[in-house]
Amino acid sequence: MRHHHEFDREHHHHGRGGEHHHGGGGRRQRFFGHGELRVVILDLLSRNASHGYEIIKEIETLTQGNYTPSPGVIYPTLDFLEDQQFITITEEDGGRKKIAITAIGEQWLEENSEHLEHIQERIKARNVGFELRKNPQMKRALENFKAVLDLKVNQGEISAAQLKQIIGVIDRASLEISQLD
């Protein structure tokens, strides 16, 4: 009996792990936290009916190329949304599937509007960094800055006074940049 219970627990755990892995799509999936992709997809669908490929492209545009969800991430999410009756997926001529948000989906999106705003703000914040890194000189300067800090703070024996000085330099630089015309 004990043996059976052990198997059951093992099996249950495996099932959950497997499912999570399915939605993982590798390291990049962390661009969106758990369940956030659903909100983003519904938001896109609330503006127009779409196809799976177009949703992928729109998310890519939204994140300025920072994140391209793989079909292995998108389609299970769409299946979930369809199960919840948040969307309808209808077969069109030519075998393409048309995806549209339902009234239930619209209502759920409305209830999660605050959540959506947080996600959009975070995407914007990430895109700022993305824009910075596109300029090769800026990229070099930032990498150099990180390397110097890393060397000084992490590898070096640093005193509290030195740390205070470094923080002062960073704060002054921030202030100077914010005051540029």
Side-chain angles (χ1 to χ4, degrees):
M1 192 65 214
R2 198 181 68 85
H3 181 75
H4 178 74
H5 177 72
E6 207 110 309
F7 169 77
D8 201 53
R9 209 179 61 218
E10 184 64 44
H11 184 72
H12 178 73
H13 179 77
H14 178 74
R16 251 184 42 226
E19 184 180 59
H20 181 75
H21 205 72
H22 193 53
R27 199 174 54 82
R28 292 181 318 163
Q29 167 59 6
R30 284 215 199 103
F31 197 94
F32 293 113
H34 181 69
E36 291 186 343
L37 196 56
R38 296 169 196 168
V39 186
V40 172
I41 289 174
L42 283 178
D43 179 50
L44 293 174
L45 290 171
S46 72
R47 290 192 275 267
N48 56 356
S50 193
H51 302 92
Y53 175 74
E54 283 158 16
I55 291 172
I56 291 173
K57 281 287 156 225
E58 283 189 50
I59 290 172
E60 193 176 33
T61 305
L62 189 68
T63 64
Q64 295 183 6
N66 279 344
Y67 176 63
T68 309
S70 66
V73 170
I74 288 291
Y75 290 105
T77 305
L78 290 173
D79 288 342
F80 173 84
L81 292 171
E82 190 179 28
D83 288 345
Q84 299 294 307
Q85 296 177 332
F86 291 166
I87 62 170
T88 55
I89 300 177
T90 47
E91 194 93 23
E92 281 184 323
D93 295 338
R96 272 174 39 127
K97 288 181 165 63
K98 191 174 179 184
I99 306 155
I101 192 167
T102 64
I104 301 171
E106 294 266 10
Q107 191 187 335
W108 188 81
L109 190 60
E110 190 66 39
E111 285 162 14
N112 285 274
S113 62
E114 213 171 293
H115 189 38
L116 179 66
E117 273 168 43
H118 289 311
I119 297 168
Q120 286 169 337
E121 273 165 34
R122 217 184 60 228
I123 291 172
K124 244 188 256 153
R126 284 209 174 181
N127 287 347
V128 170
F130 184 68
E131 282 303 314
L132 279 177
R133 289 188 296 274
K134 274 208 303 209
N135 178 308
Q137 285 303 94
M138 178 59 88
K139 190 177 172 176
R140 182 203 54 75
L142 284 172
E143 301 283 318
N144 190 33
F145 183 57
K146 277 197 295 202
V148 169
L149 274 182
D150 195 50
L151 224 60
K152 273 278 185 227
V153 181
N154 292 346
Q155 271 98 45
E157 285 295 312
I158 192 164
S159 69
Q162 284 174 309
L163 191 61
K164 208 173 160 184
Q165 276 182 302
I166 292 171
I167 292 166
V169 170
I170 295 170
D171 282 341
R172 283 197 301 278
S174 300
L175 189 65
E176 243 183 85
I177 292 168
S178 71
Q179 288 172 344
L180 289 175
D181 284 332

